[in-house]
Amino acid sequence: MTSTALITGASSGLGAEFATQLAARGHDVVLVARSRERLETEARRIRSEHGVNAEVIVQDLTEPDAAQLIKSELDARGRRVDLLVNNAGFGTCGRFEEIAGARDHDQLMVNVVALVDLSHALLPGMLANGGGSVVNIASTAGFQPSPYFAVYSAAKTFVLNFSLALRNEYRGRGVKVLAVCPGPVPTGFVEAIGNEKGASFGSLLPADRVVRTALRALDRNRAYVTPGFGNAVSAHLMPRRPRALVAAIGERVTRSVLGGAPKARAAAAAR
Ligand SMILES: NC(=O)c1ccc[n+]([C@@H]2O[C@H](COP(=O)([O-])OP(=O)(O)OC[C@H]3O[C@@H](n4cnc5c(N)ncnc54)[C@H](OP(=O)(O)O)[C@@H]3O)[C@@H](O)[C@H]2O)c1
């Protein structure tokens, strides 16, 4: 039976690339995001280029019951998921009090809550079927507290630690769990964050290379991967303690890279 991968945030950037590379490996794919037209265009392209089944589920992941709605839709279509890629996400950048609270709330719903809820919804099926994989997209921002990216970096720390914990719960039970920690990638992320410099920490890598590295790490059953030599080295050289000092240094470094304490952009708040 053909294996099926469900990819959130598959309408652009890393998610669209995951869908393409997984389809090239012979997986059927289910593409999830809000933009119906973009998803359907991607699905058509994937079907014609790779000859696999590519379906679309349009779902806003800020909705509290998003994962259940996706699961019900999969059940109604008779689709079982063997590989879940929790990729959908966005960031905010700026002084905390200037970022719209609703925007940060949405960020947590997409980057954290939907990721946990979808794991709850789909992992039992993987266990019942004798195996599966979960790939969670974290970030190099998740390795330390990042002032002016306070919510984003904390959310990505959650994703990284959640993934490492689950990986060890499912070790020996047939389910692989991988956290992917990219540095900057030229995608819609930059526009969404509303600050070009805000997405420029580390070495820029193209999406296809990040995804190829991630899938190779999944093949090797790695716990986490930081694509790009420069990103991997800086992530591992970064001191973790004392935590308060690391955060204070992070504030200075970020302020100097951004050219002063960044103002949260209206564009980011509006998206
Ligand atoms: N690019 C980078 O520099 C970078 C670095 C490290 C980690 N990451 C992580 O990589 C992941 C993918 O981001 P990307 O770089 O590929 O950015 P992107 O091109 O902006 O893609 C983000 C995806 O998430 C989807 N999404 C956003 N809000 C959503 C919502 N409310 N409901 C459903 N889907 C939603 C978007 O689709 P719709 O708008 O159609 O809903 C889109 O498909 C994110 O988790 C991001 O944090 C990115």
Side-chain angles (χ1 to χ4, degrees):
M1 191 175 177
T2 313
S3 134
T4 298
L6 182 142
I7 303 109
T8 67
S11 62
S12 72
L14 290 170
E17 190 60 40
F18 267 109
T20 301
Q21 291 195 25
L22 287 167
R25 286 172 166 226
H27 296 269
D28 286 345
V29 290
V30 180
L31 315 181
V32 178
R34 292 166 301 181
S35 317
R36 178 181 294 281
E37 228 170 88
R38 273 162 41 193
L39 287 176
E40 283 175 351
T41 304
E42 280 300 313
R44 262 195 308 278
R45 183 185 59 74
I46 285 171
R47 279 193 295 270
S48 84
E49 286 178 8
H50 302 290
V52 298
N53 198 318
E55 296 178 14
V56 162
I57 296 180
V58 177
Q59 180 61 52
D60 184 343
L61 295 175
T62 62
E63 288 180 16
D65 54 352
Q68 270 321 311
L69 292 169
I70 291 169
K71 177 73 169 65
S72 303
E73 188 57 35
L74 291 167
D75 291 346
R77 297 181 191 183
R79 274 264 158 216
R80 94 176 196 209
V81 171
D82 309 280
L83 199 173
L84 166 64
V85 183
N86 277 310
N87 161 80
F90 65 89
T92 52
C93 167
R95 291 178 175 140
F96 180 72
E97 80 279 8
E98 292 175 358
I99 295 170
R103 179 80 177 156
D104 270 345
H105 181 271
D106 283 354
Q107 182 184 178
L108 290 171
M109 292 303 286
V110 178
N111 295 12
V112 174
V113 176
L115 177 144
V116 173
D117 287 353
L118 273 171
S119 304
H120 269 303
L122 299 179
L123 263 161
M126 292 182 196
L127 285 173
N129 294 327
S133 307
V134 179
V135 176
N136 291 328
I137 311 307
S139 166
T140 47
F143 287 114
Q144 67 287 310
S146 304
Y148 309 115
F149 297 90
V151 174
Y152 182 69
S153 63
K156 293 302 186 181
T157 303
F158 178 99
V159 173
L160 177 57
N161 285 343
F162 172 69
S163 306
L164 293 171
L166 278 197
R167 170 189 163 78
N168 285 284
E169 282 191 37
Y170 290 109
R171 194 192 287 278
R173 296 169 70 197
V175 176
K176 296 192 221 173
V177 182
L178 169 74
V180 183
C181 304
V185 189
T187 63
F189 181 82
V190 180
E191 184 203 330
I193 209 166
N195 187 321
E196 258 173 55
K197 290 180 187 161
S200 65
F201 287 84
S203 16
L204 193 72
L205 285 189
D208 64 331
R209 205 172 132 200
V210 171
V211 171
R212 213 170 305 118
T213 304
L215 293 180
R216 211 177 309 125
L218 184 66
D219 293 340
R220 293 176 184 161
N221 198 8
R222 298 260 312 270
Y224 70 98
V225 63
T226 308
F229 181 71
N231 292 325
V233 168
S234 60
H236 289 93
L237 288 183
M238 186 82 71
R240 309 268 183 264
R241 288 167 196 281
R243 288 181 192 276
L245 181 63
V246 173
I249 294 170
E251 194 277 335
R252 287 192 174 201
V253 171
T254 308
R255 187 153 35 89
S256 81
V257 170
L258 297 177
K263 288 206 161 293
R265 298 265 177 92
R271 195 176 132 119

